[in-house]
Amino acid sequence: MNKTKRRKIKVILQQGKEQDEVVIMGWVRTRRDSKGGFSFLEINDGSCLKNLQVITDHSIDSFDSISGKLHTGSCVSITGKLVQSPGKGQSVELQAKSIEVYGEADPNQYPLQKKHHSFEFLREISHLRPRTNTFGAVMRVRNRLSYSIHKFFQDRGFVYLHTPIITTNDCEGAGEMFQVTTLKPDSIPMVDGKVDYTQDFFGEKTCLTVSGQLEGEVYALALSEIYTFGPTFRAENSNTSRHLSEFWMVEPEMAFYDLEDDMNLAEDFLHYLFKDVLEHCSEDLEFFNKQIDKTILERHQNITEKEFERITYTDAIHILEKSNKKFTYSVEWGCNLQSEHERYLSEEVFKKAVVIYDYPEEIKPFYMKVNDNGKTVRAMDVLLPKLGEIIGGSQREDDYGSLLKRMQSKNLESEDYDWYLDLRRFGSAPHSGFGLGFERLVQFVTGVENIRDVIPFPRTPKHARF
Ligand code: 4AD
Ligand code: MG
């Protein structure tokens, strides 16, 4: 392996310089043989969307012995000379001097032979789909967005906090948690008809976290501004294009922020992410705009250039009631907004991002701050056209008495949340935060319709294998 002269294709194409000898390593996307004793290979190494074109003369050393192994999908190392390319759409091409085949891919068996495969087909081969243009582009965009999320918060002095994955508390109170246990299903210890969790690994019932927020609050009330960025798990049986059982969430939590500060931060954050990805992933985004959805670049501009509309839940209900539109789920004050309602507001009424705030107390979790009217809480959701909810957040209840009352009305055992109540007992502070669904962000940015296609290995009901 000639490693010292190896160059990534992205760098070669960016520089566009002729060079006597370089080595590239990657996978053959296509091979075309021409009559005059030449073959053209398109090589991709995942560093960028574009392939590098390689021309090989059949008279080079050992060509005859490897020719039968050079197929779509084969992995190769090629040493050659970079020359200006006469072809359109590429700066340089490689004239091969020698080719080594690392691994071949039998054309009768390798599944990725066509130029276009359906997302459904590719989901069946999630171990090979990263070798397609679409998945390469999705993962590069996902990577850039992760980086810029950290950059946004780090530049503003937020501390990156690692919250636990195994937990005893149900933050959202929706009972949609996966249990973590070492008890054997065929011999579960029981006492008085109930599972005896004292014999379980942790000595009590434990689950995978649905959100790092509550632990995030602990640290915000010491370090002022923190954020988490990690996997979360929800055992909700939602087989939709926007739900995963395992997804990544970004959760900033800030002391001394009220709901308005929280909404401002969410808006600045999304503006920043869209601008950054447009700047750093332009090639991939243009590909999506051409192949997946011809309106995405326009939609990004619409988000980055316009201020978000902010309306109360009560006003949103008025608009929906007056709309004369037939919804599957009817609308009245107190109902949960469904994605059809959210999309109507952002796509048809305002035609931009919308923030809805001050939701009815009954439909929101225990930790949100109750408004003076006693009926609504300081919650906010950010909705995007074509996607619906991307962010959910709130100002947190910082008053001990009000929090305790709200926990009791939602039948939460206050002993389980003693530590959470302590935060209001000792040095309580107004504070707020929100959660961004990372895969929904990648969906919006790429225009990919189904959330299963923006995460490397999706976990959904009845699906945890490759
Ligand atoms: O609105 P949610 O449930 O809010 C929370 O979990 C709060 N504790 C966040 C906070 O205030 N720190 O979830 C936040 C976001 C949603 O807006 C959505 O984008 C995403 O997480 N989300 C999901 N994404 C994929 N699959 C699922 N099953 C999701 N459930 C929520
Ligand atoms: Mg929500």
Side-chain angles (χ1 to χ4, degrees), residues 179-307:
Q179 215 174 317
V180 174
T181 179
T182 51
L183 296 176
K184 303 280 172 288
D186 47 6
S187 59
I188 296 194
M190 305 289 286
V191 173
D192 299 333
K194 286 191 177 151
V195 178
D196 179 14
Y197 283 113
T198 61
Q199 296 191 42
D200 201 351
F201 190 90
F202 293 105
E204 61 184 313
K205 189 175 171 186
T206 45
C207 294
L208 296 178
T209 188
V210 294
S211 157
Q213 177 198 321
L214 303 188
E215 293 89 350
E217 285 184 55
V218 173
Y219 276 81
L221 293 177
L223 303 176
S224 292
E225 290 166 330
I226 63 94
Y227 69 104
T228 72
F229 185 1
T232 47
F233 307 86
R234 296 199 184 176
E236 56 190 325
N237 204 359
S238 310
N239 258 309
T240 78
S241 60
R242 300 182 312 128
H243 288 89
L244 288 166
S245 313
E246 176 178 303
F247 64 98
W248 286 65
M249 198 172 7
V250 181
E251 294 183 278
E253 189 70 35
M254 301 75 63
F256 320 119
Y257 276 50
D258 62 16
L259 185 68
E260 196 186 343
D261 301 324
D262 200 32
M263 294 194 275
N264 291 342
L265 184 75
E267 184 165 343
D268 288 349
F269 183 43
L270 289 177
H271 277 159
Y272 177 91
L273 295 179
F274 286 119
K275 270 199 202 118
D276 180 87
V277 78
L278 275 172
E279 188 181 330
H280 292 95
C281 297
S282 54
E283 187 187 42
D284 290 322
L285 292 184
E286 273 157 29
F287 167 78
F288 293 125
N289 203 58
K290 224 161 98 192
Q291 298 288 335
I292 306 261
D293 175 346
K294 301 212 165 20
T295 63
I296 51 166
L297 289 179
E298 198 183 304
R299 269 193 282 138
H300 291 181
Q301 256 172 4
N302 187 40
I303 299 295
T304 39
E305 284 168 10
K306 288 188 190 158
E307 274 185 16

